[in-house]
Amino acid sequence: MPEDAGKKKFIKDFLQNVRVGEGFIEDIWIERAVRIPGSIGEGSTAQSLSGRSINNITELLEDDLKHSFDDGYFTFRIVSALKGSGKTSLLTYLHELIKTKPTYTNFSIVSRFPLANIIAMGGNQDFIVKFYCYILAETFWKLISDSELSVKNKAKNILSDYLGQAEVNQLITASSLKTFRPKFVQYFSNIAIVFEEFFFDVLNEVSQVEPRYTFAYLIDEFDGLEKKPNEFQQALSLIRALIKRAAQDFQSKIRLFIYLVGTSENIKNFFSEDPVIESLVGHQVINLNAGYGNEFEMIRTKINERIKGAFKGYGNFDNAWNEIKNLSPNPSQTLRGFCQEYAFSILGVHANYFKEKPEQEFEGNARDLVEARCKEKWQSYLSQKAYTLSSVSTTAVLEGHAFDCYVELLHNGICVARCFGEAKNYELLSSHLETFSKWLEDVKFKPFTANGIPPDIAFMIAPSCPFLLKRKLELKSIYFISTDKVIDPSSPAIIDSSTANIVNVNTATKDSIVAAIKGTGIRETTIDKLIKLRNNKSFQNIDELASGLKLTLKTKEKLQKKLEEGKICFT
């Protein structure tokens, strides 16, 4: 039997993941509002390093990344929050954002680790030596593995300055970081060097051969040291020293990016008894709130809408939906607590009503959608008489996988390129991409070609796609088509958001929104109101936006046209 993505238990797996409630859960990531410290209103607090206006967590993180990766400045952030408020999720999300920008990943070292890893290291060295050996080991491992020859050679030369040739050979021939790190620690922990100076020398020497190189260290579980006072004090001491050297010796003009995550109480200790540190980075704390009611509601909506898309149409759906709408999770809890409780309740509904039922097949006209996009993407070939499109197949079985759509580009009747499509009735999940990517790999998907050979094409179709997942699709050369489940002649135009310059009214800057809605008659003061309102809620459609901004019917119709033209979107 072919593997059919429609019969895989995506929803159940998704709910189980949310129920566990640990770490970063990409599929329920929401844009949490950010306000300036001391201001009135709901939301986490932080201020940008660039001076630009910041409205949500994604804007804040991307502004910080630009500060170091693009502009070349030292970035240091402390993320402070209660347990269960999303600290580790933020750190992982930050790492994922870096991964989705090739210009960042190609010229950087990114190390993410909990401080518990340092404590767990063997040996009799003090915490400071272990810390530097740990991060330097991963730094050198990635430098000598770098595809950039100048960077690779510089790393080897630095190692040769401190170690004998036999030791250097042992390091550069290591098969993995797991085998590299113990050898590195063994060799360097016995050398009489000042590790702080050595660390900055490495950064400086690499920047001489590749000025774009950025060194990022994402450090979790600062609170894990609270029961080890000696290690805790050493950690405070070394991080304070790092900050002072970067700020004073380099005037902050160094591509060093550090995020330190801990609980609120531990962060207070960071600033106590050191007014210099307070003046340097006291304003760079991100204070995450435990979770507001509107944030819980956004997560609830993400879960509910997927249940509706997957199972609406079954005879017992209305009963299940009534139970879901009547669920009343405890509002006085953290984000983690809410996710765990609500997902557990939804799993109960799922088990009672949909346990043995496959997800509903896509209800839109995927055939016409994919055919139209194929004509667009292969237009330069189809304009030539020798090229034609095959008929669009649904549930085509290739290499044991049942694709929702399949089309071939024919040259004189012979297949020279292929198009693959998958469609879902609800907002895409990260597991959808994982499955589809594996299938494309199995059929030897070739999106990049040379010498005039037509490329293969792939599409994923759904009502919406999360911001981060959309970036991942683009990296894999998979196009996303946003469309409602049911297609009829009166439906809005279908938007290919992978190619259109769409402005998300829930996340975009004021200038971007002004440009996108030009011609609607909406004034800048109204846009200011929109930005203020979206700090507390995300707009889902034109009706919500028009109601919140008290727009006239005529203005609402103009905005609707902007939506249909692909100028604006809500997700």
Side-chain angles (χ1 to χ4, degrees), residues 383-450:
S383 62
Q384 304 171 45
K385 289 185 178 180
Y387 288 94
T388 57
L389 275 186
S390 71
S391 59
V392 181
S393 302
T394 55
T395 60
V397 178
L398 300 165
E399 297 297 328
H401 307 307
F403 288 90
D404 286 342
C405 300
Y406 177 70
V407 189
E408 291 181 346
L409 178 64
L410 307 175
H411 182 261
N412 294 325
I414 300 173
C415 176
V416 291
R418 304 159 299 165
C419 172
F420 308 90
E422 276 296 307
K424 298 299 170 188
N425 281 334
Y426 52 87
E427 185 176 52
L428 286 180
L429 296 168
S430 55
S431 53
H432 292 148
L433 175 58
E434 291 170 8
T435 299
F436 192 44
S437 296
K438 178 62 169 62
W439 289 14
L440 292 176
E441 182 181 330
D442 290 345
V443 297
K444 296 178 173 56
F445 175 60
K446 297 177 181 178
F448 303 108
T449 56

Side-chain angles (χ1 to χ4, degrees), residues 228-351:
K228 295 183 177 293
N230 184 48
E231 286 82 355
F232 180 69
Q233 289 301 320
Q234 289 190 59
L236 287 176
S237 176
L238 76 88
I239 294 171
R240 287 169 178 166
L242 272 174
I243 293 169
K244 290 177 180 177
R245 184 176 288 265
Q248 296 170 354
D249 290 7
F250 294 87
Q251 291 74 52
S252 295
K253 191 62 177 175
I254 182 172
R255 291 177 179 270
L256 177 59
F257 185 97
I258 299 176
Y259 259 59
L260 179 64
V261 173
T263 56
S264 303
E265 286 302 315
N266 276 304
I267 296 307
K268 291 179 182 177
N269 291 319
F270 190 83
F271 298 111
S272 63
E273 301 178 3
D274 198 326
V276 175
I277 290 296
E278 173 72 33
S279 65
L280 288 174
V281 296
H283 60 289
Q284 295 175 199
V285 177
I286 301 173
N287 286 294
L288 289 180
N289 67 76
Y292 288 111
N294 70 304
E295 294 176 335
F296 296 159
E297 191 58 35
M298 284 191 284
I299 294 172
R300 180 172 182 157
T301 299
K302 278 184 170 287
I303 295 173
N304 290 359
E305 289 301 309
R306 284 170 169 139
I307 293 291
K308 183 191 291 185
F311 301 112
K312 187 176 182 180
Y314 283 115
N316 56 358
F317 177 79
D318 288 343
N319 293 334
W321 191 244
N322 284 332
E323 284 192 26
I324 289 172
K325 288 194 296 184
N326 290 329
L327 291 174
S328 301
N330 176 15
S332 301
Q333 54 186 329
T334 62
L335 278 177
R336 180 195 297 165
F338 172 82
C339 292
Q340 291 173 327
E341 179 184 335
Y342 192 69
F344 181 78
S345 299
I346 296 293
L347 275 168
V349 176
H350 180 275

Side-chain angles (χ1 to χ4, degrees), residues 142-158:
K142 291 180 177 178
L143 288 173
I144 64 174
S145 304
D146 198 280
S147 58
E148 196 70 31
L149 188 59
S150 61
V151 172
K152 187 195 301 277
N153 288 338
K154 172 55 69 174
K156 291 178 181 178
N157 291 339
I158 295 173

Side-chain angles (χ1 to χ4, degrees), residues 48-97:
S48 69
L49 303 181
S50 67
R52 286 184 282 266
S53 175
I54 296 297
N55 298 297
N56 57 52
I57 291 294
T58 297
E59 290 183 4
L60 178 69
L61 300 185
E62 292 198 318
D63 189 72
D64 282 357
L65 291 173
K66 187 177 187 301
H67 190 68
S68 285
F69 285 75
D70 294 326
D71 300 337
Y73 291 106
F74 173 52
T75 295
F76 178 82
R77 284 285 194 187
I78 294 177
V79 182
S80 172
L82 299 174
K83 291 182 178 179
S85 301
K87 302 183 303 298
T88 298
S89 293
L90 182 146
L91 203 65
T92 309
Y93 180 64
L94 173 63
H95 196 184
E96 292 297 313
L97 286 176

